[in-house]
Structures are given as C-alpha cells and as structure tokens.
Amino acid sequence: MAETKITEFLGTGRRKTAIARVRLASGNGKITVNGRAIDNYFTLETLRVTATQPLTVTSTAEKFDARINVSGGGPERPGGRGAACIARALLKFDASLRSALKAEGLLTRDPRMRERKKYGQPGARKRFQYSKR
C-alpha cells in the first residue's frame, strides 16, 4: 500500500495577543475556521472578504483548502489575522507571489501591542487621583 503524502503549507499571523495558524492543502477552495465553515464563523461579508483576500489577490482561491485555527482577540480580529497567515503560507507555496501580496500590504505584521500596567497606577498611563490636603 503506497500512501500519498499530502503537502501542506503552514502560516502564522499575529496581532496584539491574537494568533491565527493555517494549513493550506491542495483542494477545491473549502475554508474552515476553528472547525466551522467560513460562512458560519464570519457572519459579516466584510470579514470573509478580508480573510480570503490573499487567495483572491493571487488567484489561488480554487486551488487550496484552508484550515484556520484562531485564538485570542475579539470577534472581528480573526479576519485580519487569517489574511496574514494565509499570505505567509502562500509564500511557502510560491515565492513569486511576494510582490502581489506585498503590494496589498498582506505581509506586514502590525506591531502595536497593549501597553503593560505599571505598579503604583491603576492602568498603563492613568494615575491615581492626587490629593493635596
């Protein structure tokens, strides 16, 4: 029995404390997010478009099945994280797609992070109320 090995391309996308991981395998365009269909997971059309933007930009939407696993962040952030991880996985598939993905800004990681709370203060920058007397 000869087993055929399915090649998968992995990618990771991060923003703040949110992480998305994707496995791209050859297929017919089926996308699942956390085990649910993309239409079921992203209720808004704009989030679906954002998440699948790398596939539409590179015209590879019908070539791959994507299994995305997202964690952290709010309800709307998985779309942007999903786009970033799909873009990185597509680069592993074909490095010549880099110029198209870069032009759309899909390879840039957003470095903004939540600022840590400091001791002696109620938050990162807020101070406790000063009382002179």
Side-chain angles (χ1 to χ4, degrees), residues 49-68:
V49 169
T50 302
T52 59
Q53 188 178 4
L55 295 171
T56 55
V57 166
T58 58
S59 303
T60 55
E62 301 300 320
K63 291 183 183 179
F64 292 108
D65 287 344
R67 288 183 301 159
I68 304 172

Side-chain angles (χ1 to χ4, degrees), residues 7 14 35 38 40 45 47 51 53 55 61-62 66 68-69 77-78 84 95 102 105 109-110 112 121 123-124 129 133:
T7 54
R14 293 184 186 94
I38 191 167
N40 190 357
E45 180 65 28
L47 295 177
Q53 188 178 4
L55 295 171
E62 301 300 320
I68 304 172
N69 186 5
R77 289 298 103 208
K102 186 95 171 155
R109 190 219 191 274
D110 192 348
R112 294 177 293 179
Q121 299 176 193
Q129 186 171 357
R133 287 180 186 82

Side-chain angles (χ1 to χ4, degrees), residues 69-87:
N69 186 5
V70 295
S71 63
E76 294 190 15
R77 289 298 103 208
R81 291 191 317 264
C85 66
I86 290 173

Side-chain angles (χ1 to χ4, degrees), residues 89-108:
L90 283 173
L91 277 185
K92 291 182 182 177
F93 164 68
D94 186 6
S96 64
L97 299 174
R98 184 174 191 83
S99 59
L101 294 170
K102 186 95 171 155
E104 293 292 322
L106 296 169
L107 297 177
T108 307

Side-chain angles (χ1 to χ4, degrees), residues 3 5 37 42 53 61 65 88 94 103 114 118 120 128 131:
E3 292 183 27
K5 184 170 172 135
F42 295 125
Q53 188 178 4
D65 287 344
R88 291 188 183 199
D94 186 6
R114 180 186 159 274
K118 278 64 165 204
F128 288 119
S131 174

